[in-house]
Amino acid sequence: MKKLIFLCFIFISTNVHSFDEDQLISLEDLNILFEQNKNKWNENVLFLIKKKSFTKINNNSDIYFLKSIYEDGEIITMPIFSNNFVKKIAFEYNFLNYNDEYFNILKKHFNSLSEFCTDLSIKNDSIFIEVSKCN
């Protein structure tokens, strides 16, 4: 239950009206996400979609993706599993009114999470971030 509450906090914190580094996922929240297995992840997604700002995305596999909708766009959280545990987490930030500063804010934030390795890229008005634990 504790993990479920933390997951709620993680995804509710993405439901913001302005894009601010203080509102991005924390190191502790990422650690919790990496502790999930497929069943727990899917159960948490099914719980969260009861809120208006979340929807579930079926990706033609046994894993659900979670879309968090906010005023300026949406964030899709996509875990990548290996042997039933999270290997990587991909985030897709889609913006209604993209601003180049968004990339800088995300890059600075995710690079500050020293125990995680990140890869950021931009395509159209979306920023893609892939996060994995550094070994």
Side-chain angles (χ1 to χ4, degrees):
M1 185 64 172
K2 179 180 175 184
K3 288 182 182 180
L4 184 60
I5 293 170
F6 277 117
L7 279 174
C8 283
F9 178 74
I10 290 168
F11 295 112
I12 290 170
S13 69
T14 62
N15 186 15
V16 295
H17 299 292
S18 63
F19 196 70
D20 186 329
E21 187 175 353
D22 294 335
Q23 298 164 325
L24 297 174
I25 193 165
S26 71
L27 179 62
E28 294 81 19
D29 294 338
L30 270 175
N31 281 319
I32 291 169
L33 287 178
F34 273 89
E35 292 173 0
Q36 300 294 302
N37 62 41
K38 284 183 189 179
N39 290 338
K40 288 291 182 192
W41 171 261
N42 284 337
E43 287 173 16
N44 290 331
V45 168
L46 291 174
F47 173 79
L48 290 171
I49 63 171
K50 295 177 183 177
K51 299 200 171 283
K52 290 180 190 177
S53 60
F54 300 112
T55 59
K56 156 184 94 159
I57 299 174
N58 292 334
N59 65 342
N60 297 323
S61 79
D62 60 344
I63 302 165
Y64 299 132
F65 293 164
L66 183 66
K67 183 191 298 187
S68 177
I69 303 163
Y70 60 102
E71 188 175 291
D72 298 325
E74 63 190 24
I75 301 168
I76 302 172
T77 304
M78 303 165 281
I80 301 164
F81 288 89
S82 176
N83 296 325
N84 200 35
F85 291 96
V86 176
K87 177 182 176 183
K88 295 180 182 179
I89 300 173
F91 297 97
E92 180 180 340
Y93 287 79
N94 299 304
F95 299 98
L96 296 176
N97 297 306
Y98 178 78
N99 178 330
D100 286 335
E101 186 60 25
Y102 295 163
F103 182 82
N104 295 331
I105 291 169
L106 287 168
K107 182 177 180 179
K108 179 182 174 189
H109 175 73
F110 280 95
N111 286 340
S112 73
L113 304 172
S114 60
E115 67 183 69
F116 290 97
C117 295
T118 58
D119 182 30
L120 283 81
S121 61
I122 301 173
K123 185 175 180 181
N124 299 325
D125 290 340
S126 298
I127 298 174
F128 298 87
I129 303 169
E130 194 170 272
V131 180
S132 60
K133 286 198 169 189
C134 298
N135 295 344

